[in-house]
Amino acid sequence: MSVPESSPISGPRMAAAARRLLSAKAERFTESVIREMTRMAMKHGAVNLAQGFPDFAAPEEIKEAARKAITADINQYAITWGAKPLRDAIAAKFERTQGVRVDPEREITVCCGSTEAMMSAMMAVINPGDEVVIFEPFYENYGPDAILSGAAPRFVPLRPPDWSFDRDELSRAFGPNTKAIIVNTPNNPTGKVFSREELGFIRDLCVRWNVFAITDEIYEHMTYDGARHVSMASLDGMRELTITINGMSKTYAVTGWRVGWAIAPPAATDSIRKVHDFLTVGAAAPLQHAGALALALPEAYYAKLASDYLVRRDKMLGILTKAGFSCFKPSGAYYIMTDISRFGFANDVEFARYLVEKIGIAVVPGSSFYNDPASGARQVRFTFCKKDSTLSAAAERLARLRPA
Ligand SMILES: Cc1ncc(COP(=O)(O)O)c(C=O)c1O
């Protein structure tokens, strides 16, 4: 229905009336820039080094397990907090790799990806007025996670080149209203792997203020140059204060399967399970069964995963350095943050647009990882979770780029 110009509800009044029908929370954040860059890559036929999904095949045995599960008619709702074989496999793997023993009956909730696990965890623990400490730059989902769960974010900078944090600054971010800190290690977008010592400092603050650490450990198996992933829950005193978020997406190259989980003490798990049940009921049942097989893969699988990613990282570092970028060398995950000062563009968004439209490479503008866009105006992020041929195609295109 069109409203005539002279209508009493045209123009700003109509916009205000339309806005009244919408959630003020949803108005406070934008669409995901990362996912938007993927759509732009498709539109311009660009090599997509923006969104972190592998373009190579998932392991054959996992795909076969999924096919078998469907054939065996595992096609109805799983138990809402996760199929038992998968929960058992998650518990066994956490104990095997991090030495943390958890009860799969009372401490694990399987969700639709770690994205939902993070959102369910936040909604399960946040009350109005609660604050959540977030290291910045941060994976862009944490902003909307905070808004939708009603938390007030307190940002603490990670500073290049090593993305370390200032201990006094972090201490000052904690207070009587703090409910949780989000720790993403290995980190997206910086590639930082938090050391045991850094985690110990964060642990002391969590214990002092009785605060949850909600840790996103989805890149746990991608570490380089001797860096080792340490789970916060394995630190003394953190077993009861950690909500560990993880998932199948990155480790098994199945980002479209949407299987993730939250591991939390029983009381928090009770709350997470309720939120999860009413958000999604459950993750895809046959894929959960395939997940049980995936998590039982031998150590050799993870060693090869890390060494293959190391080769990709080094190739991508070479390509970007040759093209004129200053790279922050990642010790983990599969992204490279770069400094774009040399190219002479006004900001990251303008440069990212130029790259996708004129050079044929999609990247993520740095500003999407910061609360204040100005903080990321000289950075863009590349992912290297791609086939060798994709990285070579990117190299050819980037050779056309000229520093100012
Ligand atoms: C830090 C981080 N957490 C979570 C996710 C999303 O994971 P999932 O596919 O399990 O929802 C991503 C995806 O890029 C990520 O980088």
Side-chain angles (χ1 to χ4, degrees), residues 76-87:
Q76 311 309 325
Y77 301 123
I79 293 174
T80 181
W81 50 79
K84 183 162 168 50
L86 178 57
R87 280 183 288 116

Side-chain angles (χ1 to χ4, degrees), residues 241-252:
L241 280 179
T242 305
I243 301 177
T244 307
I245 306 291
N246 212 325
M248 291 186 68
S249 284
K250 315 288 178 171
T251 306
Y252 308 103

Side-chain angles (χ1 to χ4, degrees), residues 165 167 194-204 235:
F165 57 87
R167 294 186 171 200
F194 284 71
S195 69
R196 183 176 288 279
E197 210 214 341
E198 287 174 316
L199 293 174
F201 185 79
I202 298 168
R203 180 263 319 272
D204 292 348
L235 269 62

